[in-house]
Amino acid sequence: MIEEGSKRGKAMVEKRQLFMEMRAQNFDVIRLSTYRTACKLRFVQKRCNLHLVDVWNMIEAFRDNGLNTLDHNAEINVSRLETILSSIYYQLNKRLPTTHQINVEQSIGLLLNFMVATYDSESHGKLTVFSMKAMLATMCGGKIVDKLRYIFSQISDSSGVMMFAKFDQFLREVLKLPTAVFEGPSFGYTEHSVRTCFPQQKIMLNTFLDVLMADPPPQCLVWLPLMHRLANVENVFHPVECSYCRSESMMGFRYRCQQCHGYQLCQSCFWRGHANGPHSNQHQMKEHSSWKSPAKKLSHAISKSLGCVPIGEPPHPVFPEQAERPQELTHTVVLESPSRLDEEHRLIARYAARLAAEAGNSTQQCPPSDLSFNFDANKQQRQLIAELENKNREILQEIQRLRLEHEQASQPTPEKAQQNPTLLTELRLLRHRKDELERRMSALQESRRELMVQLEGLMRLLKDEEQKQASQSGGSPHSSPSHGAGCSMPMPIRSTSAGSTPTHTPQDCLAGVGGDVLEAFAQGVPRNLRNDLLVAADSITNTMSSLVKELHSVDDGGDEEETNMRNGGDRGTVRVPKH
């Protein structure tokens, strides 16, 4: 209970965080409600990093999470909503460069709390699918024409005609956004909003776009295109002085009075209703979203007068009215709903069909031969898109297959190694015995070296004794008859075991031993003491030879076991490397 209470308290703090930050921006000083609403929603969009998610990425996220197969009135709980938002933001971070990564957890928390506060005011813990789609499609980034086309695909029937009940439901959901930022009195939902927007009876896609993208748009949605214009002019620079605050440059919108000559205001002064001199707030102002130099204005005016610039360009391209064959442009394959066609597919199909279509009224000025050529080109483009989709699907399947094979190859397979426990145990024992024999051989080699050092000391003593005797007798120390030619002894250090090769050369064990010992081994035995020493050295050599032979027999046995495991036909073999 204590843990649940702490979580609930943390959620309440996070829920208030976004609204507290928005109040700190002091947007309420903006005089006009349209700009005030657009600025607040733009702040929420940027604070939640929704401006980085394009509408097409949002549609792909809906498809990945299976929302296109659910009914619009179906409800999803908050935990699943959090999962959907997590997939959206984690996919966003994959597309962004490493230097521009966002805080995913913070973005998920802010957006989740804003959506729950907006669409779950009664704290049921659930949202409808249509509410989530309408909100995310409206608040994400991208062009407004693409957003409106997606929204139209959600509120139209299979023949491409808008359903008024669906549009009424859309207005109910989307107008909760101004209410969430405390602008409900200016842009709240009314029962007459639908007929105010569309007095006609039959609404197709182009009519829908014409109405919502007109200047001015319907009063209830006038903040929507303004929010997109705000995003487009945030970094626009105007090298003009503001007539009120005297700032030498402007960023964002620029407003020019239609009555006072040369009177211009920056967006901050205009939004707050500042005025001075003969100018009044009642004067008509023209909004500028870009800067044109006087020379460029003159050139544009001359081109317009000569007919080089089309007059009255439409705000959007003309799209085909009838629904076309759905095109699969994403790698995600989801079954279509049996109750209705896939609206997202139809939207993407329309978008793909008009890739090369000319904007504006250029289609009306083309002769019939050009129109037929455009239709043929569109058909060829659709065929090319279908071929590319098939190739893309094959490539993705091949990538998935290779990834699975790589994961299977890189994972350890203890179950395979356990298929021959007896052989593995014997091989492990042999390996342990081989290591033990190698340690014994190393110890014997060290003992042999110490013995050779002792032999060298004894040889020095014998040599000194001989020199003393020779000096006393006046003879040479090497005149003893025992040093004759027929009494030579072969080197006892060489191994006499047949068919075995020592692991280490015997001379390696005599490194650092003086030449007297080597000389003693190469010559005959002049007295019994030397002979005893040589016999002891020969015994050590024979022991070393037998040890090496046993070691190699163990090694050959290990190789034989290894060969048997490889040739046994078992796929779970384990290869033991040689030392």
Side-chain angles (χ1 to χ4, degrees):
M1 294 295 294
I2 297 176
E3 185 177 357
E4 293 180 358
S6 61
K7 290 182 179 180
R8 190 179 299 108
K10 183 179 179 182
M12 292 298 295
V13 172
E14 293 178 349
K15 183 177 180 180
R16 298 191 188 99
Q17 178 182 355
L18 184 63
F19 296 101
M20 292 174 63
E21 293 180 2
M22 184 178 64
R23 287 184 181 276
Q25 299 296 319
N26 201 18
F27 291 122
D28 291 331
V29 300
I30 299 177
R31 181 170 56 97
L32 301 176
S33 61
T34 303
Y35 288 96
R36 192 167 58 243
T37 304
C39 287
K40 289 181 178 180
L41 292 178
R42 175 63 177 168
F43 172 79
V44 173
Q45 182 191 47
K46 294 182 65 177
R47 189 66 182 85
C48 297
N49 289 310
L50 277 176
H51 66 295
L52 301 175
V53 184
D54 191 81
V55 62
W56 301 108
N57 300 128
M58 193 65 73
I59 296 174
E60 183 179 1
F62 293 159
R63 187 183 305 278
D64 290 341
N65 290 276
L67 297 181
N68 59 318
T69 62
L70 299 177
D71 187 79
H72 283 170
N73 296 322
E75 292 183 339
I76 58 176
N77 54 29
V78 176
S79 61
R80 184 176 181 186
L81 174 60
E82 186 175 3
T83 302
I84 296 172
L85 297 182
S86 300
S87 67
I88 293 173
Y89 283 115
Y90 279 111
Q91 289 296 326
L92 171 62
N93 253 359
K94 292 181 180 179
R95 296 189 296 269
L96 294 176
T98 55
T99 56
H100 293 76
Q101 298 285 299
I102 65 171
N103 189 335
V104 174
E105 296 299 330
Q106 185 183 38
S107 301
I108 294 173
L110 290 175
L111 181 57
L112 180 65
N113 289 314
F114 180 76
M115 294 183 67
V116 171
T118 304
Y119 294 101
D120 188 26
S121 57
E122 298 180 0
S123 300
H124 293 306
K126 295 181 179 180
L127 279 75
T128 64
V129 174
F130 189 73
S131 299
M132 189 184 63
K133 282 186 174 183
M135 186 272 175
L136 293 178
T138 303
M139 294 295 292
C140 69
K143 298 180 180 179
I144 185 173
V145 62
D146 296 331
K147 293 183 181 182
L148 294 177
R149 289 172 60 199
Y150 173 72
I151 292 170
F152 185 81
S153 70
Q154 301 295 301
I155 62 176
S156 58
D157 56 16
S158 58
S159 60
V161 179
M162 187 189 77
M163 295 180 287
F164 280 88
K166 285 284 188 180
F167 180 69
D168 181 75
Q169 185 181 3
F170 167 72
L171 284 182
R172 290 175 183 269
E173 302 299 336
V174 78
L175 290 179
K176 291 180 181 179
L177 292 173
T179 304
V181 293
F182 315 108
E183 297 295 335
S186 300
F187 301 103
Y189 171 80
T190 62
E191 297 179 355
H192 305 288
S193 299
V194 176
R195 289 302 174 184
T196 303
C197 297
F198 298 104
Q200 305 93 331
Q201 294 297 325
K202 184 177 181 181
I203 306 299
M204 308 295 286
L205 173 60
N206 291 310
T207 306
F208 180 79
L209 296 177
D210 290 338
V211 172
L212 295 188
M213 296 182 65
D215 188 16
Q219 180 60 30
C220 60
L221 295 174
V222 68
W223 51 269
L224 180 58
L226 178 58
M227 185 177 69
H228 287 80
R229 295 205 308 272
L230 279 174
N232 295 330
V233 302
E234 283 182 348
N235 299 318
V236 174
F237 176 76
H238 304 269
V240 181
E241 183 183 28
C242 178
S243 300
Y244 183 85
C245 66
R246 299 302 177 184
S247 175
E248 296 181 355
S249 60
M250 303 181 189
M251 293 293 293
F253 286 120
R254 174 171 55 92
Y255 298 89
R256 183 166 58 88
C257 182
Q258 301 297 295
Q259 299 180 21
C260 303
H261 178 71
Y263 192 90
Q264 302 188 81
L265 293 176
C266 63
Q267 68 177 20
S268 179
C269 293
F270 175 76
W271 290 353
R272 287 160 174 78
H274 293 163
N276 58 349
H279 179 70
S280 172
N281 289 331
Q282 304 301 322
H283 292 180
Q284 185 179 2
M285 302 290 287
K286 184 176 182 181
E287 183 181 272
H288 295 272
S289 58
S290 62
W291 164 256
K292 292 182 181 179
S293 62
K296 192 172 183 180
K297 289 181 180 179
L298 179 61
S299 175
H300 183 78
I302 295 175
S303 301
K304 187 175 181 180
S305 62
L306 296 176
C308 300
V309 177
I311 301 175
E313 295 183 358
H316 63 86
V318 179
F319 297 98
E321 300 291 354
Q322 298 297 327
E324 301 182 12
R325 182 181 64 86
Q327 300 283 342
E328 179 69 27
L329 296 183
T330 59
H331 63 273
T332 308
V333 180
V334 181
L335 295 177
E336 294 184 353
S337 174
S339 61
R340 69 177 189 275
L341 293 176
D342 193 342
E343 295 87 359
E344 288 90 347
H345 276 285
R346 291 193 290 107
L347 174 62
I348 297 174
R350 296 172 190 173
Y351 183 75
R354 302 299 300 178
L355 287 176
E358 297 181 357
N361 56 1
S362 57
T363 55
Q364 300 177 1
Q365 300 175 359
C366 296
S369 59
D370 293 339
L371 290 176
S372 61
F373 175 77
N374 289 336
F375 291 148
D376 294 338
N378 291 336
K379 183 177 180 181
Q380 294 176 0
Q381 290 172 0
R382 288 194 296 271
Q383 293 176 354
L384 179 61
I385 290 173
E387 295 176 0
L388 292 176
E389 289 172 2
N390 294 330
K391 292 181 180 180
N392 183 46
R393 192 180 297 108
E394 294 175 0
I395 292 173
L396 290 172
Q397 292 175 356
E398 182 67 17
I399 292 175
Q400 184 67 18
R401 184 183 64 81
L402 294 175
R403 184 182 292 112
L404 291 176
E405 291 181 357
H406 176 70
E407 292 177 355
Q408 293 176 358
S410 61
Q411 290 179 353
T413 54
E415 66 278 359
K416 296 182 180 179
Q418 294 176 0
Q419 292 178 1
N420 293 315
T422 305
L423 293 178
L424 290 177
T425 304
E426 294 178 357
L427 187 60
R428 193 178 298 108
L429 292 175
L430 288 174
R431 185 59 58 195
H432 179 70
R433 185 180 177 188
K434 180 180 178 181
D435 294 339
E436 184 179 358
L437 291 175
E438 286 182 349
R439 288 193 297 270
R440 289 177 55 190
M441 186 179 70
S442 300
L444 288 175
Q445 286 178 351
E446 186 65 25
S447 300
R448 185 184 182 191
R449 177 179 176 82
E450 294 176 356
L451 181 59
M452 292 303 174
V453 173
Q454 295 176 3
L455 287 175
E456 183 182 9
L458 293 174
M459 290 299 295
R460 288 198 186 99
L461 294 175
L462 289 175
K463 189 173 182 180
D464 294 342
E465 185 67 25
E466 287 178 357
Q467 288 178 355
K468 290 180 181 181
Q469 294 177 1
S471 61
Q472 293 176 358
S473 61
S476 173
H478 298 288
S479 60
S480 175
S482 61
H483 289 244
C487 200
S488 176
M489 178 182 289
M491 286 287 289
I493 299 177
R494 186 179 303 274
S495 176
T496 58
S497 60
S500 65
T501 304
T503 307
H504 302 282
T505 308
Q507 285 77 2
D508 296 340
C509 301
L510 301 178
V513 180
D516 294 335
V517 178
L518 295 176
E519 182 180 358
F521 280 101
Q523 297 177 356
V525 183
R527 55 178 61 87
N528 293 334
L529 178 60
R530 180 179 293 181
N531 189 25
D532 293 341
L533 293 173
L534 293 177
V535 169
D538 193 18
S539 176
I540 294 175
T541 304
N542 292 335
T543 303
M544 290 290 298
S545 177
S546 61
L547 180 62
V548 171
K549 182 177 180 180
E550 185 177 2
L551 177 63
H552 278 279
S553 65
V554 172
D555 196 7
D556 293 340
D559 293 342
E560 182 178 0
E561 293 294 339
E562 178 182 340
T563 305
N564 291 335
M565 292 183 69
R566 286 200 303 268
N567 297 334
D570 194 352
R571 300 175 64 183
T573 59
V574 178
R575 180 179 178 87
V576 180
K578 294 183 179 180
H579 289 283

